[in-house]
Amino acid sequence: MPKANETILEINLTSLEDNYHYLKSKIKNETKFLAVVKAFGYGSDAIEIAKNLVALGIDYLAVAYVNEGVNLRDAGIQIPILVLHPQPINFETLIDRCLEPSIYSPNICKQFIRVAEQKKQIDYPIHLKFNTGLNRLGFLRNDIDFILSSLKETNTIKVKSAFSHLAASEDLSEKEFTENQIQNFKTIASELTEKLGYQPILHMCNTSGILNYPEAHFDMVRCGIGLYGFGNSKKEDINLKPIATLKSIISQIHQIEKGETVGYNRAFKSESFLKTATIPIGHADGISRSYGNGIGWVTIKGKKATIVGNVCMDMIMVNITEIDCQEGDEVIIFGTSPSATEITASIQSISYELLTSVSQRIKRVFHRN
Ligand SMILES: *Cc1c(COP(=O)(O)O)cnc(C)c1O
């Protein structure tokens, strides 16, 4: 790649492809692959990621909200799209754009049927979400009779899949809890299938579920973070490649004398001479203020430059006293090394949060190896 001359997020599509093939190798050939591209494809670019994955042969896409699905349809993507957390206000749009809702409560079920009836739908595909322990969204087992009686009264909807979501698939100390969730889902799925009289697609695993619970792959897996290059463990991070590299440049270098201060609120007071570099990226771009005052760092010429003072909206200042660098030199915020996982550890956060925080004003640049 040519040197960055402004802040950019580089997306390596070869790494995306490699991650996909690795994750595919973990599931049976007949198991369907759903790629999660919510939140702008985990902060990268949902459309570009989706197009590349469709070309690789994925079966399904998922987003969180209806507008995210609309963007994919506007870009010409035609494969089925599951909307994980739709709101009733958007049900008409959802149907108009052939998006498929997760139906997660009796209230949502009733409201969706009402809209589907108004729009004269027949057998509109829906996905029933069951709560098996995450306690976030989903029906309980004892809602099955309500669901069945709702389905009996209408021919507008048809259950295409039934699914649940694991609460701690990455945490092997919670194995017993996870196995209990899986068992719970099996019980729900068999009761539902028996009462429906046909077999919906069953799915439960996110990335860490794919890697840690092969017995729970069912008919389809829902993969997000793994495609973007993170395995939620040291062991699996080795097998995956972060697709996104956040790069910037040095805008200006300052010589700070002993006793001077740097940045807003004069948060940094110099105790000896130092050199700082100002970098055009700030908290509006996803660099949380929590990284300020020596907590976070960037990489310049392979060396760590820690953040000096408070993170500004559009800039950070970093300590380059010991680094031989010039204005215009490249700066790495995260990428393959240091990865988003390493960077976020300093503020007790996770890769997911940093990736999805990269602001939309930062240009995405795509490349292959
Ligand atoms: C975001 C999400 C996923 C993807 O999880 P990863 O850990 O990123 O693989 C899967 N299922 C549901 C319901 C989600 O909300």
Side-chain angles (χ1 to χ4, degrees):
M1 281 297 291
K3 188 173 86 61
N5 42 28
E6 62 178 330
T7 305
I8 59 168
L9 187 72
E10 264 177 29
I11 311 290
N12 187 334
L13 296 170
T14 309
S15 297
L16 175 71
E17 199 167 323
D18 293 345
N19 295 335
Y20 170 72
H21 289 306
Y22 175 73
L23 293 155
K24 268 292 265 188
S25 78
K26 295 287 164 185
I27 64 175
K28 292 202 187 83
N29 219 2
E30 63 270 26
T31 306
K32 291 186 197 312
F33 194 101
L34 174 153
V36 181
V37 295
K38 61 193 179 192
F40 299 102
Y42 288 47
S44 60
D45 182 299
I47 291 168
E48 195 66 28
I49 299 299
K51 282 185 174 166
N52 277 273
L53 292 170
V54 168
L56 291 171
I58 57 160
D59 302 281
Y60 246 95
L61 285 163
V63 291
Y65 301 113
V66 170
N67 66 335
E68 298 179 298
V70 168
N71 289 342
L72 295 175
R73 289 285 184 246
D74 283 345
I77 287 160
Q78 293 180 339
I79 72 167
I81 300 173
L82 166 58
V83 181
L84 294 164
H85 194 182
Q87 307 297 323
I89 179 100
N90 302 313
F91 281 163
E92 280 202 42
T93 310
L94 179 144
I95 292 174
D96 290 341
R97 305 310 301 271
C98 294
L99 304 169
E100 301 178 7
S102 158
I103 299 295
Y104 50 87
S105 71
N107 170 37
I108 289 296
C109 185
K110 283 182 210 147
Q111 297 205 58
F112 188 73
I113 290 172
R114 198 176 310 136
V115 177
E117 276 171 354
Q118 277 163 12
K119 295 185 79 73
K120 304 199 170 22
Q121 299 300 306
I122 295 169
D123 288 346
Y124 197 90
I126 64 155
H127 302 260
L128 295 174
K129 171 91 176 261
F130 287 92
N131 175 13
T132 55
L134 180 59
N135 289 325
R136 189 173 73 171
L137 289 179
F139 290 106
L140 293 171
R141 184 180 173 191
N142 57 23
D143 290 319
I144 292 179
D145 287 333
F146 162 83
I147 296 166
L148 265 294
S149 69
S150 306
L151 287 169
K152 273 213 184 79
E153 290 166 14
T154 180
N155 63 352
T156 54
I157 56 171
K158 180 159 184 177
V159 181
K160 188 157 168 193
S161 90
F163 71 111
S164 188
H165 194 36
L166 295 169
S169 56
E170 74 284 9
D171 184 352
L172 294 176
S173 70
E174 293 289 359
K175 204 166 197 279
E176 201 180 319
F177 181 88
T178 303
E179 281 166 353
N180 192 44
Q181 274 197 282
I182 296 167
Q183 203 44 54
N184 225 330
F185 182 61
K186 281 186 180 160
T187 309
I188 289 167
S190 61
E191 184 181 333
L192 179 74
T193 302
E194 193 190 309
K195 291 184 171 169
L196 277 175
Y198 58 87
Q199 176 81 59
I201 298 169
L202 303 178
H203 49 115
M204 186 164 209
C205 284
N206 64 344
T207 298
S208 291
I210 296 171
L211 300 170
N212 295 331
Y213 296 92
E215 72 277 20
H217 289 177
F218 297 98
D219 306 314
M220 181 159 82
V221 293
R222 301 187 306 272
C223 187
I225 198 80
L227 289 167
Y228 306 97
F230 297 85
N232 297 331
S233 72
K234 284 211 165 71
K235 177 171 157 268
E236 288 296 346
D237 281 346
I238 292 167
N239 300 315
L240 295 160
K241 300 172 184 166
I243 70 163
T245 300
L246 183 58
K247 286 184 173 175
S248 191
I249 61 165
I250 297 176
S251 292
Q252 192 179 12
I253 291 177
H254 290 270
Q255 323 268 339
I256 309 294
E257 299 299 334
K258 183 177 174 184
E260 286 192 273
T261 63
V262 177
Y264 284 131
N265 314 107
R266 308 186 66 205
F268 177 83
K269 290 193 174 63
S270 148
E271 282 166 11
S272 58
F273 171 82
L274 79 155
K275 278 196 302 176
T276 63
T278 302
I279 320 293
I281 189 167
H283 63 71
D285 301 298
I287 309 301
S288 165
R289 283 184 95 249
S290 318
Y291 290 110
N293 300 302
I295 306 288
W297 79 96
V298 301
T299 304
I300 300 171
K301 305 257 163 166
K303 294 195 174 134
K304 267 191 188 187
T306 52
I307 298 176
V308 175
N310 285 320
V311 171
C312 313
M313 186 186 294
D314 314 302
M315 282 166 257
I316 50 175
M317 284 72 88
V318 300
N319 188 341
I320 53 157
T321 312
E322 306 295 328
I323 305 174
D324 181 17
C325 56
Q326 318 286 323
E327 292 177 355
D329 280 353
E330 189 170 84
V331 176
I332 306 290
I333 291 107
F334 66 76
T336 313
S337 178
S339 71
T341 305
E342 291 168 70
I343 296 292
T344 50
S346 64
I347 63 159
Q348 289 77 48
S349 179
I350 53 174
S351 60
Y352 296 71
E353 187 178 36
L354 182 56
L355 296 175
T356 57
S357 307
V358 176
S359 68
Q360 289 300 306
R361 70 180 177 179
I362 293 174
K363 187 171 161 192
R364 272 64 174 162
V365 178
F366 301 94
H367 69 108
R368 292 181 184 276
N369 283 352

